[in-house]
Amino acid sequence: MNKTLLCILGPTAVGKTATAITLAKQLNTEIISADSRQFFKEISIGTAKPSKQELAEVKHHFIGHLSIHDNYNAGDFERDALTILNELFKTHNTVIAVGGSGLYVKALIDGLDDMPKADEDLRSELNELYKTEGILALQNKLLIINENIYQQTELQNPQRVMRAIEVALAMQKGFVPNKKKNPREFNVIKVVINLDREVLYQRINTRVDLMMQEGLLNEAQTMQPYKDNYALQTVGYTELFNHLNGDYTLPKAVELIKQHTRNYAKRQITWFKKEAPQYWFNPTQTNEIIALLINKKPIT
RNA sequence: GGUGCGGUAGCUCAGUCGGUAGAGCAAAAGACUGAAAAUCUUUGUGUCGGGGGUUCGAUUCCCUCCCACACCA
């Protein structure tokens, strides 16, 4: 097993894109992006996709391969990314995965269990129930269907309860969850790119201003009719939708985008602390990462 | 200058019929296997504008000053 997937994790705006491109050029390989919002071709400015120039330097996969009208999730990504990855391993010993979406990276590396698929019709029904009758109604529904799952579910979290109902109903219809992991045919090295909190937050603020200069407001305006799509439940867009809606001024919206981006970065860091506590670098330490790749035993 | 309304947590504000206070947001920490840039959990914080008076006790009542806003001149 001499194939290795080098995973570059890190919070938003830390400089993952540039780091990954530098590494990919040195390793003469390609990049699999694991960023749940850069998948969508219609939203580019607010998702900080790699530039045309950057995309020309190194071949990227999963950038703009979907429409905001598509439904897509971590399970779909696992399947699609594995397919591409296995293709790439035919001609490369090392492939790079970059991403800020912890769950998606995890799906690629560890695999998700065999569980029921998302049921959009059921979800709109449950969302309606939640909107009209609140979390208690969801909790009760779950309790009636499957007490066992009820006890394992984070009951204050509406999305979790809805998913639990989805799973419980599928099991009622005969679905048998399979928790067996599929072992991967490749090694994995996970590194986290990070900066001092203060520096990172400053970069976030600056990047949001830059996005506004590049026309984020206009992009959001174009997307406004589809603001309820999952793809547009995204920092940078929701705030501008609310502004266009008349909820607050543009400067206020920009301030909130910065704030919510900082909150998001914080959540990512929390995830990565657990995911890969061993190897943390700053964005310029590409040589150290290469050295790690060569010298260290791969970790999983 | 006059009148009115206000000054309480980093911000927006609630409240205390007198016994030194609390929500939301922010912040910090955390959870997270098909919505994940989503969603959720936990935690603190205060010379209650300054000074004086009444009172056993004032952030609360009274007086005065300062500041902000609105209206009138």
Side-chain angles (χ1 to χ4, degrees):
Chain A
M1 197 154 69
N2 60 350
K3 304 295 180 186
T4 301
L5 180 67
L6 175 61
C7 289
I8 313 289
L9 309 170
T12 189
V14 80
K16 291 188 296 297
T17 300
T19 307
I21 287 171
T22 304
L23 286 167
K25 282 160 91 174
Q26 286 189 42
L27 297 166
N28 193 27
T29 189
E30 302 184 6
I31 293 176
I32 290 181
S33 172
D35 187 304
S36 70
R37 293 306 191 272
Q38 293 182 359
F39 295 161
F40 301 104
K41 61 184 177 211
E42 295 91 341
I43 47 176
S44 295
I45 299 172
T47 58
K49 275 185 196 157
S51 66
K52 266 188 182 168
Q53 211 173 22
E54 287 172 321
L55 292 173
E57 283 183 72
V58 174
K59 170 88 175 158
H60 283 68
H61 299 85
F62 303 103
I63 299 282
H65 73 299
L66 297 174
S67 160
I68 56 159
H69 304 292
D70 296 329
N71 283 316
Y72 201 74
N73 59 47
D76 298 323
F77 178 73
E78 177 186 354
R79 182 198 58 223
D80 296 346
L82 272 182
T83 304
I84 299 253
L85 191 56
N86 288 328
E87 256 333 281
L88 290 173
F89 275 142
K90 286 179 184 168
T91 47
H92 301 82
N93 282 325
T94 306
V95 174
I96 293 176
V98 211
S101 305
L103 179 63
Y104 283 67
V105 175
K106 193 176 165 58
L108 174 58
I109 295 173
D110 300 329
L112 300 178
D113 294 327
D114 189 15
M115 296 293 274
K117 297 183 81 171
D119 179 339
E120 292 307 324
D121 290 340
L122 176 64
R123 284 187 185 189
S124 19
E125 199 180 295
L126 293 175
N127 272 308
E128 190 57 31
L129 180 68
Y130 175 55
K131 217 169 70 185
T132 53
E133 295 183 46
I135 188 80
L136 271 175
L138 289 178
Q139 293 172 355
N140 287 334
K141 191 174 172 71
L142 178 59
L143 179 60
I144 290 165
I145 302 168
N146 189 326
E147 190 179 347
N148 215 12
I149 293 180
Y150 174 88
Q151 275 161 0
Q152 295 165 25
T153 299
E154 195 184 323
L155 293 170
Q156 293 311 310
N157 188 331
Q159 288 186 4
R160 295 275 149 70
V161 180
M162 286 187 232
R163 160 101 273 235
I165 292 172
E166 198 170 74
V167 172
L169 283 175
M171 285 170 66
Q172 214 171 44
K173 288 179 194 157
F175 183 92
V176 181
N178 180 8
K179 295 238 170 194
K180 201 174 63 189
K181 304 263 189 222
N182 310 315
R184 297 305 193 220
E185 301 285 304
F186 49 85
N187 301 312
V188 174
I189 294 181
K190 288 184 259 191
V191 302
V192 180
I193 305 296
N194 201 21
L195 288 165
D196 285 346
R197 190 70 62 90
E198 211 174 300
V199 177
L200 178 66
Y201 282 6
Q202 193 48 54
R203 281 182 64 107
I204 287 172
N205 295 344
T206 307
R207 194 178 69 173
V208 171
D209 289 333
L210 213 68
M211 285 175 175
M212 290 305 293
Q213 284 171 32
E214 286 169 1
L216 181 58
L217 180 60
N218 188 50
E219 195 174 76
Q221 237 154 4
T222 317
M223 291 295 108
Q224 207 180 9
Y226 318 111
K227 66 186 179 66
D228 292 329
N229 292 21
Y230 289 151
L232 290 162
Q233 312 294 309
T234 299
V235 175
Y237 296 89
T238 40
E239 295 83 359
L240 289 175
F241 294 148
N242 290 340
H243 160 253
L244 291 168
N245 211 26
D247 290 352
Y248 36 69
T249 63
L250 187 59
K252 178 72 181 170
V254 172
E255 190 191 312
L256 284 174
I257 293 172
K258 291 175 181 174
Q259 193 175 90
H260 294 158
T261 307
R262 283 183 243 124
N263 296 157
Y264 170 50
K266 169 61 181 61
R267 272 178 270 133
Q268 289 176 299
I269 290 168
T270 300
W271 181 293
F272 298 140
K273 271 187 203 164
K274 210 174 67 172
E275 186 72 20
Q278 299 96 331
Y279 304 119
W280 288 55
F281 298 95
N282 72 50
T284 56
Q285 289 180 293
T286 47
N287 290 335
E288 285 82 346
I289 295 172
I290 299 266
L292 179 75
L293 191 64
I294 293 166
N295 298 323
K296 297 277 180 182
K297 289 276 177 203
I299 56 151
T300 51

